[in-house]
Amino acid sequence: MTTPSSGDTVTIDYVLKRGDGEIVGNTAEVGPQEIQLGTGQIFPQIEAALSEMEVGEQQTVAIACADAFGPRSEELVIDIPRENLPPEQAPQPGMILQGQQPDGTPLTLYILEVGEQSVKVDGNHPLAGEDLTFDLTLRAIGQPG
């Protein structure tokens, strides 16, 4: 039985679903993904599952909202005066803005509504408040180096 260890690079396919079963991501769209285990690139529950899998094996991993992107916070839905936005583009609902929090941490904002004087944005991750399910397939194990 060959299973991956911390430091190994694994190639996986996945289907990501919300708690209601809606598919919100999959490697059929973007191709298999390479992940180095032990580097914090993925949720710990997925890393734990992968570390017990053999090439070709499939497993379903459920991750509760609190262990995924956390609960939604309405405090992260704010209005920004239009004059504070970059003038290069006209803001549109669905656009993504990149910013920084006061401590320098990167912040991604999703435009919800565009008004004449302000833009309503959401700083929550799009999957905040959602329980997630990953259907995983381990495709390959590569050694570190």
Side-chain angles (χ1 to χ4, degrees):
M1 177 166 127
T2 303
T3 58
S5 301
S6 184
D8 287 347
T9 298
V10 296
T11 303
I12 65 168
D13 278 314
Y14 67 84
V15 175
L16 170 59
K17 298 180 231 174
R18 295 178 192 260
D20 64 5
E22 177 189 357
I23 294 174
V24 293
N26 66 66
T27 53
E29 298 171 357
V30 297
Q33 299 294 294
E34 284 191 358
I35 299 162
Q36 184 175 10
L37 299 181
T39 60
Q41 293 178 310
I42 56 175
F43 293 116
Q45 300 89 333
I46 294 175
E47 190 158 323
L50 289 169
S51 69
E52 297 175 357
M53 294 171 66
E54 294 184 30
V55 172
E57 189 174 345
Q58 298 178 347
Q59 189 170 343
T60 298
V61 178
I63 302 176
C65 160
D67 295 324
F69 295 103
R72 281 193 52 78
S73 171
E74 290 309 312
E75 293 175 1
L76 294 176
V77 178
I78 59 172
D79 288 317
I80 297 176
R82 286 189 71 151
E83 65 262 15
N84 291 356
L85 298 176
E88 304 86 52
Q89 295 185 299
Q92 300 292 321
M95 285 178 66
I96 297 173
L97 300 174
Q98 298 296 327
Q100 285 187 343
Q101 296 181 35
D103 66 0
T105 304
L107 180 63
T108 301
L109 301 170
Y110 302 87
I111 297 178
L112 300 176
E113 298 173 11
V114 178
E116 292 213 15
Q117 302 298 320
S118 66
V119 174
K120 183 177 292 243
V121 298
D122 187 347
N124 287 289
H125 186 280
L127 295 175
E130 299 282 348
D131 293 331
L132 304 176
T133 301
F134 287 82
D135 294 329
L136 303 171
T137 303
L138 181 59
R139 295 291 179 206
I141 303 170
Q143 301 304 314

